[in-house]
Amino acid sequence: EVQLVESGGGLVQPGGSLRLSCAASGFTFSSYWMSWVRQAPGKGLEWVANIKQDGSDKYCVDSVMGRFTISRDNAKNSLCLQMNSLRAEDTAVYYCARARRYNSASGPTYLDYWGQGTLVTVSS
Amino acid sequence: QSALTQPPSASGSPGQSVTISCTGTSTDVGAYNYVSWYLQHPGKAPKLMIYEVTKRPSGVPDRFSGSKSGNTASLTVSGLQAEDEADYYCSSYAGSNNLVFGGGTKLTVL
């Protein structure tokens, strides 16, 4: 059974940093792209970042570029999101998700398994 | 990357069919057959219902179907059941390894 368990969320002041983790199990982690998606309170879903199987390619939404870094440790079946210079608008539940793609010519095109999410609150 | 446009709400009675639209542009929905749909119950994680416009993952009832015409994709839920009441989100590949989501539609089963 595929399982994704996020951790690391919490309350942080504006300008602060937080590191989210996602523990994966039930599948060959190193064979899949992975993604982070967030959902602000009462709002819709927003894709945040993708990372390739071997970590060599990373992509993120413009609003977090230069502040957030996605990474992975295939030996530990772990996905991370390092969040720096946090802003109030980064307040959200952050989901880890397994990403799939149609073929090698495209990036990830859908997310087939999701974790339960971890809440990040940026407030003074 | 701009969000895809979905109606904020939709509703139907048990047994009826409801269709939810998702409008994008020629650079996302219109450019690729990579539209997916997700169901989210309150306080829960999203669940994949449709991928690549029309495909259903294993375990998703065939009451759920997807389609696309031009820059607009649609999700149809037939034979509405109480448990279908949830928020539904569309998503599309937008090129350059980016994904874009819709704003979500709250489906109410009357």
Side-chain angles (χ1 to χ4, degrees), chain A residues 47-92:
Chain A
W47 168 75
V48 174
N50 286 335
I51 186 168
K52 194 177 178 180
Q53 291 95 324
D54 62 0
S56 59
D57 290 331
K58 306 174 185 182
Y59 305 90
C60 65
V61 68
D62 289 347
S63 60
V64 308
M65 203 167 293
R67 300 188 300 121
F68 290 12
T69 301
I70 187 172
S71 64
R72 64 191 297 162
D73 184 337
N74 287 342
K76 296 182 178 180
N77 292 342
S78 176
L79 177 72
C80 288
L81 185 68
Q82 177 67 42
M83 303 185 296
N84 299 329
S85 302
L86 282 161
R87 307 166 180 167
E89 54 265 35
D90 296 319
T91 294

Side-chain angles (χ1 to χ4, degrees), chain A residues 6 11 15 17 29 33 37 56 62-63 66 74-76 105-106 124:
Chain A
E6 302 92 338
L11 174 64
S17 298
F29 181 72
W33 284 73
V37 175
S56 59
D62 289 347
S63 60
N74 287 342
K76 296 182 178 180
S106 77
S124 55

Side-chain angles (χ1 to χ4, degrees), chain B residues 26-79:
Chain B
S26 59
T27 61
D28 39 59
V29 175
Y32 308 97
N33 288 322
Y34 298 152
V35 175
S36 52
W37 289 90
Y38 303 86
L39 170 159
Q40 186 181 37
H41 287 119
K44 300 295 186 180
K47 175 186 176 183
L48 177 68
M49 303 302 285
I50 296 287
Y51 66 100
E52 291 168 9
V53 180
T54 61
K55 298 177 181 178
R56 279 188 311 276
S58 174
V60 173
D62 60 6
R63 302 186 295 104
F64 292 84
S65 62
S67 63
K68 192 190 89 166
S69 178
N71 296 339
T72 298
S74 299
L75 172 73
T76 298
V77 185
S78 305

Side-chain angles (χ1 to χ4, degrees), chain B residues 72-95:
Chain B
T72 298
S74 299
L75 172 73
T76 298
V77 185
S78 305
L80 270 176
Q81 299 182 4
E83 60 262 34
D84 299 333
E85 185 162 296
D87 294 325
Y88 290 81
Y89 294 91
C90 63
S91 176
S92 176
Y93 183 65

